[in-house]
Amino acid sequence: ATKLTLGLRYTKDKKSVLGRTTFLSVPPPFGKLSGSYDAFTGRAVIDHKLSDDNLLYASVSRGFKGGGLNAAGSTQATFDPEFINAFEIGSKNQFADGTLQANFSGFYYDYKNLQLGQRRSTSVQTINTDAKIWGLESEFLWAPTDGLLFNANASYLNTSLGGLAPGQETSDPANPAQWNGVGIPTKTPEVRLTLKGNELPYAPKFKIAVGGEYSMPIGAGGWTATLRGDYSWQSRYFAREFNTVNDK
């Protein structure tokens, strides 16, 4: 009734790029950047069957994404590898002779050096920041009769950015108060932001989705017609990590 799964992985990335920036001038020589990143990661999952229709599980895993190289001319030439420690618990259940399925889970993600793509004036620059995420998810499927199926999903998500990696303080490139008035970000002085405590971009706290469908056979050739309807809703989110009023 109890199953244990273990996994181990080794990853090694090597990256290099040649780049230069030209603007109405003699092209400068190419600049070369390179990087090498490697890590051991793994996971452990334990499942326990309470019955043929009820399962409990818990998992812990560590993930890795290699660092990388920004475009030529970026204020941050490189960015660091990203690591995540992920924890999840949940249950999977069937009721009413298998016609009702109900699954529940809770998770906690601890990111170190999360790679965050920032939209700059003419490109995207990746920086690193820590982040903590936790949430709850639920999923329901109900088939009361042949051909009829209903589904519902609901989730809650909480995200919080941490401090930036050393040397990667940032300014808001879309804030006119930090520009010199002619469309070029000011360098002296440049307003530095911490991002700490802000929400991750595109991370609404609440999501709900419901749907239903009815399927019926057509003729004797095995064809089926399905009528379906869906509704989904999500709460507000920020489009950028700066979480300003204009980002909402």
Side-chain angles (χ1 to χ4, degrees):
T2 303
K3 181 175 69 173
L4 177 65
T5 304
L6 300 175
L8 181 67
R9 170 180 291 175
Y10 174 72
T11 305
K12 184 175 181 67
D13 289 350
K14 288 184 176 180
K15 302 177 182 179
S16 62
V17 63
L18 289 173
R20 62 183 177 184
T21 301
T22 64
F23 182 71
L24 302 179
S25 62
V26 177
F30 281 99
K32 182 176 182 179
L33 289 174
S34 62
S36 179
Y37 320 92
D38 68 308
F40 282 98
T41 55
R43 67 191 299 257
V45 184
I46 187 168
D47 301 339
H48 178 70
K49 277 190 173 183
L50 298 175
S51 69
D52 289 340
D53 295 324
N54 305 97
L55 174 79
L56 299 177
Y57 69 89
S59 71
V60 56
S61 60
R62 181 168 174 82
F64 162 79
K65 185 190 294 184
L69 317 168
N70 281 315
S74 297
T75 56
Q76 303 290 343
T78 64
F79 51 92
D80 295 329
E82 172 184 302
F83 291 90
I84 179 177
N85 294 320
F87 306 87
E88 183 174 352
I89 58 173
S91 68
K92 298 182 178 182
N93 310 276
Q94 287 189 344
F95 304 99
D97 295 325
T99 61
L100 174 62
Q101 180 175 312
N103 301 330
F104 306 92
S105 66
F107 58 89
Y108 175 78
Y109 296 160
D110 185 6
Y111 277 98
K112 181 68 174 177
N113 288 331
L114 172 73
Q115 295 169 6
L116 185 64
Q118 286 193 318
R119 284 170 286 172
R120 312 300 291 182
S121 55
T122 59
S123 65
V124 174
Q125 174 177 285
T126 300
I127 63 170
N128 296 104
T129 178
D130 295 341
K132 288 181 170 53
I133 300 172
W134 66 272
L136 303 169
E137 293 182 329
S138 60
E139 176 187 41
F140 304 91
L141 291 171
W142 182 39
T145 62
D146 289 342
L148 188 60
L149 178 67
F150 297 100
N151 65 276
N153 300 74
S155 64
Y156 172 79
L157 185 67
N158 184 287
T159 67
S160 178
L161 289 169
L164 294 167
Q168 298 203 18
E169 297 86 359
T170 186
S171 62
D172 182 352
N175 187 347
Q178 298 176 29
W179 288 43
N180 63 6
V182 294
I184 302 174
T186 56
K187 297 297 182 183
T188 52
E190 187 175 80
V191 180
R192 295 297 188 175
L193 303 177
T194 173
L195 303 184
K196 189 170 184 179
N198 286 5
E199 296 179 21
L200 275 169
Y202 302 103
K205 286 185 178 294
F206 297 97
K207 285 186 177 181
I208 296 173
V210 295
E213 64 180 52
Y214 180 70
S215 300
M216 65 191 82
I218 298 179
W223 291 83
T224 301
T226 300
L227 178 67
R228 178 167 181 85
D230 288 281
Y231 171 80
S232 62
W233 171 88
Q234 65 181 22
S235 59
R236 70 106 181 101
Y237 60 86
F238 292 104
R240 299 187 310 148
E241 66 280 3
F242 297 106
N243 290 189
T244 66
V245 174
N246 289 339
D247 297 331
K248 188 178 296 187

